[in-house]
């Protein structure tokens, strides 16, 4: 069963209607009902009773994503939430590293004191704290220089800011944010692959898979870097899905069909009408009043 993204979104957010100034296009978008004038929603295509939300030239109408474009917006906002959560978490990590760099000695003393307290308990359960990988990793961090920790905190903060900027840009469906997301995510993929070579975990595999899928989806769906026709094809697809664009195209097709019908009718008249009905001869053509072909 196909999900109707348009009606689902309108049910939550409401309809969006617009009254174009072009007469024939305006007539196609509204009807008179027993309860008042109803305007056609630019997203789902249903008619909504009441005044339109805006009016003006068709070229000035707001862009309303619908169909596949609306689904793409939903996916981009899921990625935006993921980027925002990750950015906030990295900010907290950067803050913790900075705090640790300013009180490295006291934290080390506190860790050593607690390690001494837990040593008898560890021995009771036959756990060797002196050769524990976790303890070794923590003790190695105490050997880092203060400047190294500050550089690490600054790098983490810069990475977090990139993630947060990506999140807000993706939420607003900005094209520059899509480029930034693809470049920044792809740049860190080799590091994530290297992490898997050291130690494999379900979390690392899931993170890598999510980032690869995000890069591929944005590249192909948004036609970045010239893929699938590039920006021009993307804009043409987006405007082609707009209800107002569809109605305008239908109006143009109707006008062309009407012109072709009139031209065909006139051709038939000229073929069947007598010559004196089409072009008067002799004195009548020179001095007499001209006659209009009916």
């Amino acid at each position: 069963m196909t999900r109707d993204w348009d009606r689902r979104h309108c049910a939550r957010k409401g309809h969006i209607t617009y009254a174009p100034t072009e007469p024939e296009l305006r007539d196609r978008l509204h009807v008179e009902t027993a309860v008042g004038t109803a305007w056609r929603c630019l997203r789902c295509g249903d008619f909504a009773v009441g005044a339109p939300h805006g009016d003006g030239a068709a070229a000035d109408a707001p862009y309303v994503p619908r169909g596949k474009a609306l689904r793409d917006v939903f996916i981009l906002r899921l990625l935006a939430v993921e980027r925002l959560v990750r950015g906030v978490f990295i900010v907290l990590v950067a803050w913790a590293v900075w705090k640790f760099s300013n009180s490295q000695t006291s934290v080390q003393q506190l860790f050593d004191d607690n390690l001494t307290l837990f040593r008898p308990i560890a021995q009771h359960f036959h756990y060797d704290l002196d050769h524990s990988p976790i303890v070794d990793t923590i003790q190695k961090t105490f050997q880092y220089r203060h400047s190294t920790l500050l550089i690490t905190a600054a790098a983490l903060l810069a990475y977090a800011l990139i993630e947060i900027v990506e999140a807000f840009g993706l939420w607003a469906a900005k094209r520059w944010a899509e480029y930034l997301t693809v470049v920044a995510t792809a740049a860190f993929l080799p590091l994530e692959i290297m992490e898997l070579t050291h130690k494999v975990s379900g979390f690392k595999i899931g993170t890598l898979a999510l980032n690869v899928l995000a890069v591929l989806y944005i590249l192909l769906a948004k036609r970045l870097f010239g893929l699938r026709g590039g920006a021009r094809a993307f804009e043409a697809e987006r405007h082609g899905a707009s209800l107002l664009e569809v109605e305008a195209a239908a109006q143009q097709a109707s006008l062309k069909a009407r012109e072709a019908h009139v031209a065909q009718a006139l051709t038939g008249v000229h073929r069947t009408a007598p010559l004196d009905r089409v072009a008067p001869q002799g004195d009548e053509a020179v001095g007499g009043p001209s006659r209009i072909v009916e």
Side-chain angles (χ1 to χ4, degrees), residues 34-46:
V35 293
T37 304
W39 291 88
R40 196 173 183 185
C41 176
L42 297 183
R43 181 183 292 115
C44 67
D46 293 341

Side-chain angles (χ1 to χ4, degrees), residues 82-99:
E82 185 267 338
R83 291 297 192 272
L84 183 61
V85 172
R86 185 191 301 183
V88 172
F89 175 75
I90 296 174
V91 167
L92 295 176
V93 173
W95 177 81
V97 172
W98 176 75
K99 290 289 290 183

Side-chain angles (χ1 to χ4, degrees), residues 94-277:
W95 177 81
V97 172
W98 176 75
K99 290 289 290 183
F100 172 72
S101 67
N102 292 330
S103 55
Q104 188 173 357
T105 304
S106 59
V107 172
Q108 182 177 4
Q109 184 63 42
L110 180 63
F111 177 78
D112 291 339
D113 293 342
N114 289 328
L115 190 65
T116 303
L117 293 176
F118 282 102
R119 195 177 300 276
I121 301 176
Q123 290 176 352
H124 176 74
F125 289 98
H126 305 287
Y127 186 81
D128 188 3
L129 287 177
D130 295 327
H131 297 88
S132 171
I134 298 176
V135 174
D136 289 341
T137 302
I138 295 175
Q139 288 179 341
K140 286 179 180 179
T141 61
F142 295 135
Q143 301 173 6
Y144 294 153
R145 295 181 179 179
H146 178 71
S147 59
T148 303
L149 293 174
L150 289 179
I151 293 174
T152 303
L156 288 172
L157 184 60
Y159 179 55
L161 291 177
I162 292 175
E163 294 289 298
I164 293 173
V165 170
E166 286 180 23
F168 283 100
L170 290 175
W171 186 271
K174 299 296 183 181
R175 195 162 179 81
W176 59 262
E178 296 165 2
Y179 276 101
L180 177 61
T181 301
V182 168
V183 172
T185 305
F188 285 97
L189 288 180
L191 296 178
E192 296 182 13
I193 295 174
M194 289 179 60
E195 284 290 327
L196 283 175
T197 60
H198 294 296
K199 184 179 180 180
V200 179
S201 68
F203 177 77
K204 291 180 180 180
I205 294 175
T207 301
L208 177 62
L210 176 63
N211 288 332
V212 170
L213 290 176
V215 169
L216 292 177
Y217 171 78
I218 297 176
L219 274 176
L220 297 176
K222 299 301 180 178
R223 304 172 187 263
L224 302 183
F225 300 103
L227 295 178
R228 299 177 61 216
R232 182 176 298 179
F234 173 75
E235 290 296 329
E237 180 185 36
R238 189 178 73 164
H239 287 290
S242 170
L243 178 61
L244 202 57
E245 295 285 340
V246 171
E247 292 296 333
Q251 177 192 359
Q252 292 296 325
S254 177
L255 290 176
K256 289 181 179 180
R258 189 182 307 172
E259 291 174 357
H261 179 72
V262 172
Q264 184 178 5
L266 290 176
T267 302
V269 168
H270 283 292
R271 287 179 178 176
T272 57
L275 291 178
D276 60 344
R277 295 289 305 275

